[in-house]
Amino acid sequence: MNGPKLFAAYQQKLRREAKIVLTWQLSILVLFFAFWEVASRLYWIDPLLFSSPSRVFISIWDRLVQGSLLGHIQVTLLETILGFLIGTIAGIVIASMLWSFHRFAKVMDPYLVVFNAMPKVALGPILIVALGPGYLSIIAMGFIISVIVTTLVVFAAFHEVDQNYLKVLRSFEATKWQCFKEAVFPASLPAIISTLKVNVGLSWVGVIVGEYLVSKQGLGYLIIYGFQVFDFTLVMSSLVIIAILAAIMYKTVEKIEQMLIRK
Amino acid sequence: MSYLTLDRVSHYYFSKKQYTEALHNISFFVRKNEFVSLLGPSGCGKSTLLSLISGMLQPAEGEILINGEKMEISDIEIGYMLQQDYLFPWKTIIDNVLIGPKIRKRQTGELKQKAISLLKEVGLENVAEKYPSELSGGMRQRAALIRTLITEPEILLLDEPFSALDFQTKLKLEVLVSDLLKAYQKTAVLVTHDIGEAISMSDRIILMSSHPGRVAKMYEVPVELRDESPFLVRKHPKYGRLFDKIWADLNQQNQTVNPLEENES
Ligand SMILES: Nc1ncnc2c1ncn2[C@@H]1O[C@H](COP(=O)(O)OP(=O)(O)OP(=O)(O)O)[C@@H](O)[C@H]1O
Ligand SMILES: [Mg+2]
C-alpha cells in the first residue's frame, strides 16, 4: 500500500541530498576564487607571485582572442592524450602477455618492480637524447610514466581472478584466449578502469615535465616561459587551464566506466 | 560394462610447507546410463574426485578411463557443475546459460530457444535478461544447472547441485534431472550430503570416509526404487531400510574417525 509513497519519498531524499552536495561544491569554488581575489587585492598574499583570478581570467581571455593560446592547448592536449592512450594500452597488452606466459611473469617481476620504483621523469634527458627534442620525447614521457604501473596493477588484477570461473570455462574446453576474453578480462575491468583514472593524472605530469625540458610550445612551455619572464599571471592561467582539461579528461573516463560497467 | 573407470586413483594437494593426501587408492566404475551418488563427510575429497573425473585435475597416481580410453584422448563430453554456481556476474542469465555453446562455437537460434524452454522448466523464464546478482541463491543454482545441461554432455558431474534449495524446488529439480537423464540416456555422478537424495536419484551409492578420502562402502539401490520418481521413492518401505543402513554406517564412521582426529591435533 505504502510502497509508491515511500519510494517517492526515497527518490526525493536522493534528489535533495544531491542538491545539497552540489550547493556545497559550488560554494567552495566561489569562496576559493573570492578569497584569492580579496587576498591578492589586500596584499595578504603577494599579487606578483600569486596573481589574482581577475587577472588570470583577463589574461586567458586576451590570449584566446589573440589566438595564441588555442595552439598551446592543442599541442599539450594531443601529447597528453597520446601518452595516456599508448601508456595504458601498452600496459594492458604487457600485462596480458605476462598473464599468458607464467614463467615470463615470474622472471620479469624484479625488473618491473625496480623500474616502477624509479622516478621516471629522471629519464627525461635520456629520452631527449634518444628521440630528439620534440613531440616524440614528450609523448614518450607521458607514456613511460604510466606504462609500468599500469602493467603491475592490471597484471595483479588478472592474477586475482577466481580460478573457478576458469574451471567453468575449461569444462567447456575453452582455449586460453577464450578464458581471457570471457572471464579474466571482464573480471578485471573495474581494476583497469581505476588505473585509467590514475593514468589521467600521471600522463599530465609526464607531458608537462617533458615540455619544461624541451618544447617551444604547449602549456608546460607557457609555465616555464612565464616563470622566466616573471609573468606569474601566465603561470597561474596555464595551471587553471590544465586543471580544467584534466578534470574533463577524468570525467570522460568516468563516462566510459559507466558505459562499460553496469552498476 | 564399465563406462567410467577409476583405477587406484590417489591425489595430493601440495603447499610450500606440507602436503595433504586428499584421496587414497580410489577404485570404482560407473556403467553407461548409470547414476552414482557419492556420499561422505565434509572434506573427504568428493569435490576433488569430481575435478579428477572432469579432467580439470590430473590424478597423482592411478588412472581414469572413459569408455576404455584415457581421459586426454577421449572425446566424450563431460558436464561439470561446480559446488558453487560461479555464474559470470557480468553476463545475463541467458548469456551465462549459453556460454558453453559459445565457447564451442555452436551458438544457434535453436539453442537459444532450448535455453529459454529449459529456464522455463525450472521457473526462471522471467529472469533470463537479469544479472546473477539480482537472483536468489537457489535461482542461481538452477541457472548453473541449466548451463551444465544445455550442452547435453554424455557424463554429468554434479557437485551438490540442490543444496541451497527449499524442499519443494529440490524435489522438482530432482525429478527434472532424473527425467532428463533417463530420456537422454546419460551417465551421472552426483555428490550430495543428503542420504534421501542419494537413494531417490541413484542406482548405486558410494560412501566415502575421510583422512584420506577412501571408498568405505557401496550400496546397490533396490531395483524397485530406481525407476520410481524421487518423490515416490521417499515413501517406499525399502527406502527407509536403506536410509537406516547408510545412516548407521555414517555414524559408525564418525565414531571411529573422531578419536583419531583428536589424537592428531
Ligand atoms: N585447492 C586445494 N589446495 C589444498 N588443499 C585442498 C584444495 N582443495 C581441497 N583441499 C583439501 O582436500 C581435502 C578434500 O577436499 P574436497 O573439497 O574435495 O572435499 P569435499 O568432500 O568436497 O568437502 P565438502 O563436502 O565440504 O565440499 C580437504 O581436506 C581439503 O582441505
Ligand atoms: Mg565439495
Side-chain angles (χ1 to χ4, degrees):
Chain A
M1 271 316 256
N2 277 330
K5 223 190 276 171
L6 289 173
F7 183 55
Y10 171 76
Q11 279 180 317
Q12 197 177 5
K13 206 177 119 194
L14 282 189
R15 277 196 298 268
R16 232 184 70 128
E17 179 67 21
K19 227 184 255 171
I20 293 174
V21 170
L22 187 68
T23 313
W24 272 105
Q25 287 168 335
L26 287 177
S27 319
I28 289 174
L29 189 73
V30 170
L31 270 175
F32 172 74
F33 281 109
F35 179 79
W36 184 6
E37 185 72 41
V38 171
S40 171
R41 296 226 170 159
L42 299 181
Y43 290 91
W44 295 345
I45 54 176
D46 187 344
L48 233 90
L49 288 182
F50 293 100
S51 190
S52 72
S54 54
R55 285 202 255 169
V56 164
F57 288 122
I58 289 166
S59 148
I60 292 178
W61 181 250
D62 282 349
R63 278 166 213 274
L64 273 176
V65 173
Q66 285 165 22
S68 62
L69 188 58
L70 233 45
H72 291 294
I73 292 178
Q74 248 170 23
V75 167
T76 304
L77 199 57
L78 197 70
E79 288 164 348
T80 310
I81 290 174
L82 279 176
F84 166 79
L85 285 180
I86 301 173
T88 311
I89 292 170
I92 295 172
V93 169
I94 298 173
S96 315
M97 272 164 34
L98 292 175
W99 179 81
S100 47
F101 304 106
H102 209 75
R103 183 173 295 149
F104 178 54
K106 278 193 248 172
V107 172
M108 291 312 289
D109 183 64
Y111 300 104
L112 286 171
V113 169
V114 168
F115 198 46
N116 184 48
M118 187 165 156
K120 261 81 57 186
V121 290
L123 294 173
I126 295 171
L127 285 178
I128 293 163
V129 172
L131 300 172
Y135 299 116
L136 227 48
S137 5
I138 297 171
I139 294 169
M141 200 81 151
F143 155 80
I144 213 166
I145 207 170
S146 55
V147 68
I148 300 298
V149 73
T150 307
T151 304
L152 288 174
V153 173
V154 173
F155 176 63
F158 286 167
H159 206 70
E160 272 161 26
V161 173
D162 192 331
Q163 288 299 309
N164 286 303
Y165 286 121
L166 302 183
K167 235 179 167 179
V168 170
L169 292 175
R170 282 201 211 107
S171 79
F172 298 115
E173 279 138 19
T175 60
K176 200 157 197 181
W177 163 243
Q178 283 176 320
C179 285
F180 183 78
K181 195 169 58 126
E182 298 292 342
V184 174
F185 191 78
S188 314
L189 213 49
I192 291 176
I193 297 282
S194 55
T195 56
L196 285 190
K197 288 179 178 171
V198 174
N199 287 353
V200 169
L202 286 180
S203 50
W204 278 98
V205 173
V207 164
I208 296 295
V209 171
E211 286 183 346
Y212 282 180
L213 293 177
V214 286
S215 87
K216 303 269 166 291
Q217 241 191 333
L219 295 167
Y221 162 75
L222 282 188
I223 292 174
I224 285 292
Y225 175 76
F227 173 66
Q228 281 163 352
V229 300
F230 225 68
D231 180 357
F232 281 93
T233 302
L234 180 58
V235 174
M236 285 296 178
S237 307
S238 309
L239 286 179
V240 168
I241 293 170
I242 290 173
I244 294 171
L245 292 178
I248 292 173
M249 216 161 134
Y250 189 87
K251 280 285 164 195
T252 311
V253 171
E254 256 185 2
K255 278 274 174 297
I256 294 172
E257 174 179 23
Q258 281 162 9
M259 265 158 46
L260 289 179
I261 299 178
R262 208 179 39 84
K263 281 270 161 77
Chain B
M1 191 201 71
S2 141
Y3 186 54
L4 169 67
T5 314
L6 281 84
D7 185 18
R8 283 163 288 169
V9 169
S10 298
H11 195 72
Y12 305 86
Y13 284 110
F14 301 111
S15 68
K16 269 184 191 152
K17 293 214 178 101
Q18 59 173 38
Y19 72 95
T20 325
E21 184 173 23
L23 294 172
H24 179 78
N25 217 6
I26 303 258
S27 296
F28 65 84
F29 62 88
V30 181
R31 294 183 199 94
K32 196 160 165 55
N33 305 339
E34 197 181 18
F35 194 118
V36 170
S37 289
L38 294 173
L39 266 176
S42 181
C44 73
K46 303 180 296 292
S47 297
T48 307
L49 196 51
L50 281 200
S51 290
L52 287 169
I53 299 174
S54 74
M56 216 68 72
L57 291 177
Q58 263 63 51
E61 292 168 315
E63 57 178 5
I64 300 175
L65 300 175
I66 294 175
N67 212 5
E69 287 178 323
K70 287 209 170 203
M71 301 262 339
E72 303 89 64
I73 53 170
S74 156
D75 55 1
I76 288 171
E77 253 178 52
I78 299 180
Y80 182 17
M81 182 179 165
L82 300 180
Q83 194 162 359
Q84 281 162 48
D85 57 69
Y86 290 109
L87 295 172
F88 299 103
W90 51 86
K91 286 180 187 291
T92 57
I93 293 303
I94 185 82
D95 287 342
N96 261 293
V97 166
L98 287 170
I99 186 74
K102 186 178 180 195
I103 293 291
R104 296 190 161 145
K105 309 207 166 70
R106 282 186 215 149
Q107 245 174 333
T108 57
E110 237 170 88
L111 215 54
K112 184 160 184 186
Q113 283 314 310
K114 189 180 153 197
I116 289 170
S117 75
L118 277 171
L119 284 174
K120 203 175 213 157
E121 198 121 17
V122 296
L124 293 179
E125 69 272 27
N126 295 325
V127 297
E129 298 301 331
K130 290 203 173 179
Y131 288 88
S133 59
E134 300 169 87
L135 270 60
S136 72
M139 291 162 100
R140 295 165 57 118
Q141 226 173 1
R142 279 178 270 165
L145 179 64
I146 301 303
R147 174 169 71 182
T148 313
L149 291 176
I150 190 109
T151 52
E152 295 187 7
E154 286 305 311
I155 301 177
L156 254 182
L157 308 173
L158 303 169
D159 200 343
E160 302 186 30
F162 311 124
S163 59
L165 301 175
D166 60 280
F167 195 68
Q168 261 169 325
T169 319
K170 179 174 158 140
L171 272 181
K172 220 178 127 195
L173 277 190
E174 284 179 17
V175 173
L176 173 79
V177 169
S178 69
D179 285 354
L180 277 173
L181 290 174
K182 269 183 205 130
Y184 294 104
Q185 310 231 310
K186 305 290 184 197
T187 309
V189 180
L190 171 82
V191 166
T192 177
H193 278 130
D194 180 344
I195 302 176
E197 185 174 294
I199 299 175
S200 60
M201 296 201 63
S202 26
D203 305 314
R204 213 143 42 92
I205 297 170
I206 295 175
L207 182 68
M208 292 177 65
S209 61
S210 47
H211 305 293
R214 306 165 191 264
V215 174
K217 278 225 159 117
M218 244 185 244
Y219 311 86
E220 291 279 339
V221 176
V223 188
E224 299 93 309
L225 301 181
R226 289 192 197 166
D227 292 329
E228 213 54 274
S229 89
F231 182 67
L232 291 175
V233 167
R234 286 179 163 86
K235 295 179 170 170
H236 202 284
K238 290 203 169 171
Y239 168 87
R241 242 172 284 155
L242 184 54
F243 193 106
D244 292 343
K245 201 159 126 199
I246 298 177
W247 179 255
D249 288 342
L250 255 174
N251 276 334
Q252 200 185 2
Q253 217 184 71
N254 283 343
Q255 278 161 16
T256 51
V257 167
N258 277 341
L260 255 177
E261 269 187 333
E262 274 159 30
N263 286 345
E264 272 171 6
S265 57

